[in-house]
Amino acid sequence: MNDFEYLVTCLMEECVEVAQRCSKILRFGLNEREPGQELDNEERLVGEICDLRAITKRLNNEGYLIQLLDSGFVNEKARIKLMKLDAMMKHSRDRGCLHG
């Protein structure tokens, strides 16, 4: 395994940890605290997102992401994603699947 493969493996792990924390939030709520845990689900999700951002920063700093994370590219991709998200949420509401 080389440095790139190692970092991408870490990236995958962090993505899974973010997904797992989202699942816990949906099942138990934002403010639920697992027994023996200092932080609630919301605080733990923020921590996982920070970990994910740290790995993407490292990939960027090592030159693997061609400095895209520090450019307008990310902002444009995020803008497009938010537009798609709004459209999909509207579609879900129109079908009666999303409430509130």
Side-chain angles (χ1 to χ4, degrees):
M1 176 179 291
N2 60 33
D3 287 358
F4 173 73
E5 293 165 335
Y6 185 89
L7 291 170
V8 170
T9 300
C10 291
L11 182 65
M12 287 187 302
E13 289 174 359
E14 294 304 336
C15 288
V16 169
E17 290 171 9
V18 167
Q20 180 185 37
R21 192 51 42 199
C22 289
S23 174
K24 300 279 185 174
I25 287 169
L26 289 175
R27 291 188 294 149
F28 306 114
L30 274 173
N31 303 114
E32 186 261 351
R33 222 178 229 96
E34 289 181 34
Q37 285 292 327
E38 225 177 272
L39 304 175
D40 66 20
N41 285 330
E42 181 179 17
E43 293 163 327
R44 292 176 72 187
L45 175 61
V46 169
E48 296 301 347
I49 292 169
C50 290
D51 292 349
L52 179 63
R53 290 185 68 182
I55 299 298
T56 60
K57 267 189 165 224
R58 173 59 66 89
L59 280 161
N60 190 31
N61 291 343
E62 298 291 326
Y64 295 121
L65 298 180
I66 318 167
Q67 305 300 318
L68 292 176
L69 292 175
D70 290 334
S71 71
F73 177 81
V74 171
N75 291 334
E76 180 60 15
K77 293 298 279 181
R79 185 187 68 74
I80 292 168
K81 179 62 177 180
L82 291 173
M83 287 174 40
K84 288 179 184 178
L85 179 63
D86 289 343
M88 289 297 102
M89 288 179 78
K90 181 184 180 318
H91 180 63
S92 185
R93 276 192 186 91
D94 291 348
R95 295 189 45 76
C97 298
L98 180 62
H99 311 281

